[in-house]
Every structure is written in C-alpha cells, then in structure tokens.
Amino acid sequence: MKKSIIICLCVAVAAMFSACNKNDGVYEPAKKIQKIYTVNDDGEKVLAEAWHWDGNTLTSIDRYYGALTFTDQFSYDTKNRLISVENANTTVEITYDGNKLDEIKEYAKAVNTIEPAAKYDFEYKGNKISKIEMEVNFPLWDKEKSSNPLCYVLPELVPAVDQFVKKCPNTAKNEKITVLLTWNGNNVKSMDISITGFMPVSETVDLTYDNKNNPFYGMVSQMGSEIVNNFFLNKNNVLTMTMRIGAVQDMNVEYTYEYDGKYPTSVTSLTTDNEGDMDTETTIYEY
C-alpha cells in the first residue's frame, strides 16, 4: 500500500484546543519531543525528525529521508503564536481572527507567482473548529515537497485526504475539500469529507481513542510524511479510524501503543484498504 504522500512537513506548533482555552497557535508541551524514529522493513530504527527548542518554544525541525533533507523553521508573533513555517521548498503563512485560527496559505518557492499552492479556511462553533475548507492548485503543489498545513490541525485527516488526492489529476486547479468535524469532549469522533471539482465524492471517518495523553495535543503539525498520528487536535490517542464511502468501508486503521506512564513511546498502525491489502508502520517518540 502506498504510504501517505500528502505532506512532507511535520510542523509542531500551536496550542490549538486545550481545555483551558489558550490562544490558538501557542504550544506549551508537558513533554518535549526530541526525536521521532520510524522502523524500516528490516526492523531497524531510522531517524525521521529532530526537534529543536528554545525553552518552551519549538524553533525548527530537521527532516530526514535517509539523510537530512530539509529543515522547517518556525516564526512567532508577540503573543508567541506561530505565524510562518519555512523550508527550502515552501513558505506557509498563518493568520488569526482574535484568538482563533483563521486562514493558512502555502506558497511554492519554485514557482514565481503570488497565487498560493494551497489555502485553508477555518470555522468555529464555540471554541472548537467545526469546518475546514481546503483549496488546492495542483499545478503549483508538489506533493513530495509540499507542507500541507492541515498537518497543523488534524493528523487523522491524512489518510482520508490522501485517498481524495490520489483521485485528482496533477493538472486540476482549485480543487476544494471540505471537512465537517463532530466532537466528543476534546476529541473529534467523526469527520465528513467532501471534494468538489474533477471527481466529486464524499467520505465519512469515524474515530475511537484511548485514555492516555496525546503528546501533540495543542499543536498544529504535519499531515503525512511517514509519521503516524501527528495530528494535534485531539487530547487522547487514536485507537481506530474507519473511512466509509456511503455504507462501504474504504479503509480501516488500528493503532497499538507502548506507554511510559500516560504518554506513548511508540505506536504501530495496521492499515487495511478496501481490497484487503495491509500495511504496518511503527513510529517511536523520544522525549
């Protein structure tokens, strides 16, 4: 099975939805991730990310694909909210409406245009995000180098959006993906996803959780690469994720964790697609 390709940027940043109503964009972790590893087909632990901190502020993340490939640099405003992420390939700009996330725009450096390669708009009900609208211009968007900032918001969305993206031709412009979120406490229990444009389709994603601490809770991070469960919207860790088109199951993912107290030290995901093909990935967290 193909691994998710929709995001190359695992950006750890903003404190988005903590129970004490902190401002969006401010990330103050109880435990600081230092390194993230994946396990290859030979069972070897391979460095994927190295995180760099200045006190409680995440300043950069080194990305490794065999060797150091690029570094994401984070910039903050006077309220210590993330306002930009930059690497050799892309620039991401983040704006707020008061204390809430408003809009994210992503630009490809290789293309001389003021038009964003991708744009994300957010709507709220109360203090929780209820709707995300994503617009992608595929001719400007390099999937292998792009930093899809939805990664900042909801990592569990990665496999579902990836299924949509694989259906779209690289020439497609202004493809729109809409995500409606339903909450259960501090976790998203379901997502209704629809795409308009080249191939209209709708999908529902149902999720269940453990009762342990998600180390990325309150962050805005990555969608994709090979890192599992880097979505930081949920307070707990995802146990199962089931994607359906109508009544037909499209994909199912089961997560198994090892913990140190209330925090996971590793997670293994077992993904089964609609043809019965299975794929296993293991990620290790070092604090």
Side-chain angles (χ1 to χ4, degrees):
M1 179 185 299
K2 291 184 178 179
K3 294 182 179 179
S4 178
I5 59 176
I6 197 171
I7 301 167
C8 298
L9 207 157
C10 166
V11 198
V13 286
M16 305 204 57
F17 312 102
S18 67
C20 46
N21 290 327
K22 294 181 181 177
N23 293 342
D24 285 359
V26 182
Y27 175 49
E28 298 175 354
K31 282 201 171 193
K32 297 182 182 69
I33 291 175
Q34 303 297 324
K35 293 180 180 179
I36 297 179
Y37 298 86
T38 57
V39 177
N40 64 20
D41 293 338
D42 295 323
E44 300 169 328
K45 188 170 75 170
V46 179
L47 180 63
E49 302 177 7
W51 295 25
H52 304 287
W53 302 84
D54 180 7
N56 284 331
T57 301
L58 182 67
T59 58
S60 64
I61 298 178
D62 296 329
R63 315 287 179 186
Y64 291 83
Y65 297 90
L68 177 60
T69 305
F70 58 86
T71 298
D72 298 323
Q73 301 284 348
F74 307 118
S75 298
Y76 302 84
D77 65 10
T78 57
K79 295 182 179 180
N80 202 34
R81 299 179 304 186
L82 183 73
I83 56 173
S84 71
V85 182
E86 187 168 1
N87 60 37
N89 307 308
T90 60
T91 298
V92 171
E93 297 177 353
I94 302 164
T95 58
Y96 301 86
D97 181 6
N99 292 329
K100 294 178 179 179
L101 183 63
D102 182 38
E103 186 177 65
I104 299 176
K105 292 182 179 179
E106 176 188 353
Y107 298 90
K109 289 186 175 181
V111 182
N112 186 21
T113 178
I114 61 173
E115 184 179 1
K119 184 166 72 75
Y120 312 82
D121 292 293
F122 302 86
E123 294 183 12
Y124 285 72
K125 286 185 178 179
N127 66 340
K128 296 184 183 299
I129 288 179
S130 59
K131 182 178 180 180
I132 304 170
E133 289 190 337
M134 172 183 176
E135 186 171 332
V136 180
N137 190 341
F138 282 96
L140 302 180
W141 197 41
D142 188 333
K143 300 171 189 173
E144 299 298 331
K145 299 177 181 179
S146 188
S147 60
N148 185 335
L150 260 189
C151 56
Y152 306 151
V153 181
L154 193 61
E156 290 80 16
L157 192 54
V158 176
V161 172
D162 189 41
Q163 291 292 95
F164 283 77
V165 170
K166 287 189 290 187
K167 297 178 174 69
C168 296
N170 290 332
T171 56
K173 293 184 177 182
N174 302 320
E175 293 294 314
K176 293 184 178 180
I177 299 173
T178 300
V179 184
L180 301 178
L181 306 179
T182 301
W183 291 76
N184 180 17
N186 288 314
N187 296 315
V188 172
K189 70 174 183 178
S190 67
M191 302 181 288
D192 292 313
I193 308 168
S194 61
I195 187 170
T196 59
F198 174 75
M199 185 179 294
V201 65
S202 298
E203 186 166 70
T204 299
V205 182
D206 296 315
L207 304 108
T208 64
Y209 299 84
D210 65 10
N211 59 0
K212 305 292 187 179
N213 293 335
N214 176 3
F216 302 101
Y217 177 55
M219 299 169 67
V220 184
S221 182
Q222 141 197 23
M223 268 179 62
S225 87
E226 296 179 0
I227 307 306
V228 177
N229 196 35
N230 269 14
F231 274 100
F232 310 123
L233 214 153
N234 298 304
K235 186 173 184 179
N236 304 115
N237 303 290
V238 174
L239 289 176
T240 62
M241 177 168 55
T242 302
M243 284 159 265
R244 295 179 287 104
I245 297 178
V248 179
Q249 182 172 303
D250 190 39
M251 182 181 291
N252 184 71
V253 187
E254 298 180 359
Y255 298 93
T256 304
Y257 297 88
E258 294 183 1
Y259 301 94
D260 179 7
K262 292 186 176 182
Y263 283 86
T265 55
S266 71
V267 53
T268 298
S269 65
L270 174 62
T271 303
T272 306
D273 67 14
N274 57 2
E275 297 179 350
D277 294 329
M278 304 176 75
D279 181 51
T280 300
E281 298 180 14
T282 296
T283 301
I284 297 171
Y285 306 121
E286 183 177 293
Y287 302 100

